[in-house]
């Protein structure tokens, strides 16, 4: 085996524990990726406390934190860990640019969690740091590594059922009450459901159909300091009149987390819901699309490591394209602030 890529994880909260679980899985698989260091300001994160969030179980057998070098200060970690090839930044959204730029300036490739950053200016600063230092930057828009969304993109691009004439995406679940200092429900730090959870479907629209020219968003804030905990957006394109809509709600009651879509084509309809993914043809034939058991977060980490190993840019998730996803989300927020007014992206 070639020399292993050395990795570190910055931020060991809810998303960070999910990434840690995948890094531990890679260690057990004897892969060429070795996580060597963890960094989090909260030392509690270096214990096997109960994690309660809607990504499903992680670290079920507990973590052996003695296997990693542990830091509570990012600057200290970057000074001491001089052989890192890649860092996963899973900090709160408002710290993404801060942490990512520090790592890039130390000459380390960065996989940063979504959303890329709270502002488009922050996104561009991250891209400029990557280019200046000759390093790769990829944002964890994990739907680009999930079979249902890749399959839908194939149907749209290749016109397998003819032109796509309409599409709808939904994402929702319980309210995230587990974040450090409750930053997820703070508009100034997390951006609410519209910016945090909804960003997945914003990026799916951008990935599959391209950047829209205008948006209109109806939204409601249910928590005092949050920003639009439930929202619905219509996307408009100068070259197309097909209706494309996304909805998000992280205030649902019940134990379920949903991520569904429906796309209608000239010769059939594709539905992906909690029961699976099916193609309903106009002639009455129903075709089930087999969905593999997969972890998109795991897939994106392996892909990014392969890009580093091969010296190839992570073109499946171009940083400039995910910066455009942030621009779309910011336009949606501006529309919601204006009670649904159509806003240019």
């Amino acid at each position: 085996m070639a020399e292993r890529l050395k990795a570190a994880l910055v931020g060991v909260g809810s998303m960070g524990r999910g990434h840690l679980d995948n890094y531990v899985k890679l260690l057990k698989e004897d892969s060429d990726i070795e996580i060597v260091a963890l960094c989090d300001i909260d030392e509690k994160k270096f214990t096997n406390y109960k994690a309660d969030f809607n990504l499903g179980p992680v670290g079920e057998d507990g973590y052996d934190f003695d296997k990693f070098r542990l830091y509570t200060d990012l600057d200290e970690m970057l000074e001491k860990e001089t052989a890192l090839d890649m860092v996963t930044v899973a900090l709160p959204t408002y710290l993404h640019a801060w942490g990512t730029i520090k790592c890039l300036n130390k000459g380390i490739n960065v996989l940063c969690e979504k959303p890329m950053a709270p502002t488009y200016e922050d996104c561009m600063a991250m891209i400029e740091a990557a280019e200046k230092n000759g390093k790769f930057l990829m944002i964890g828009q994990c739907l680009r590594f999930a079979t249902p969304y890749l399959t839908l993109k194939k149907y749209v691009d290749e016109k397998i059922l003819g032109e796509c004439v309409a599409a709808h995406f939904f994402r929702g679940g319980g309210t995230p009450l587990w974040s450090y200092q409750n930053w997820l429900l703070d508009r100034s730090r997390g951006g609410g459901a519209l910016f945090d959870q909804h960003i997945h479907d914003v990026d799916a629209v951008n990935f599959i159909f391209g950047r829209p020219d205008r948006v209109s968003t109806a939204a409601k804030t249910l928590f005092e300091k949050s920003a639009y905990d439930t929202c619905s957006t219509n996307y408009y394109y100068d070259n197309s009149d097909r209706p494309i809509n996304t909805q998000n709600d992280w205030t649902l009651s019940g134990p379920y987390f949903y991520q569904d879509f429906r796309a209608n084509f000239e010769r059939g309809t594709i539905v992906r819901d909690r029961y699976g993914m099916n193609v309903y043809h106009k002639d009455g034939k129903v075709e089930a699309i087999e969905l593999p058991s997969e972890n998109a977060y795991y897939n994106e980490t392996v892909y990014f490591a392969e890009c580093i190993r091969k010296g190839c840019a992570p073109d499946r998730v171009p940083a400039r394209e995910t910066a455009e996803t942030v621009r779309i989300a910011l336009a949606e927020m501006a529309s919601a602030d204006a009670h649904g007014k159509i806003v240019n992206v």
Side-chain angles (χ1 to χ4, degrees), residues 82-110:
T82 58
L84 291 175
D85 299 291
M86 61 184 286
V87 170
T88 294
V89 172
L91 293 166
T93 299
Y94 67 101
L95 296 174
H96 282 182
W98 173 82
T100 293
I101 291 170
K102 277 182 178 289
C103 294
L104 290 168
N105 285 341
K106 284 291 184 178
I108 308 167
N109 301 289
V110 175

Side-chain angles (χ1 to χ4, degrees), residues 196-224:
D196 185 83
Q197 183 174 272
H198 176 59
I199 201 78
H200 282 298
D201 291 318
V202 179
D203 190 67
V205 170
N206 190 23
F207 176 53
I208 295 169
F209 299 103
R211 196 194 83 188
D213 297 293
R214 297 171 305 285
V215 298
S216 174
T217 300
K220 184 175 181 60
T221 298
L222 283 83
F223 297 93
E224 181 181 359

Side-chain angles (χ1 to χ4, degrees), residues 243-255:
I244 298 177
N245 171 267
T246 60
Q247 293 185 18
N248 189 279
D249 191 335
W250 70 10
T251 68
L252 299 182
S253 301

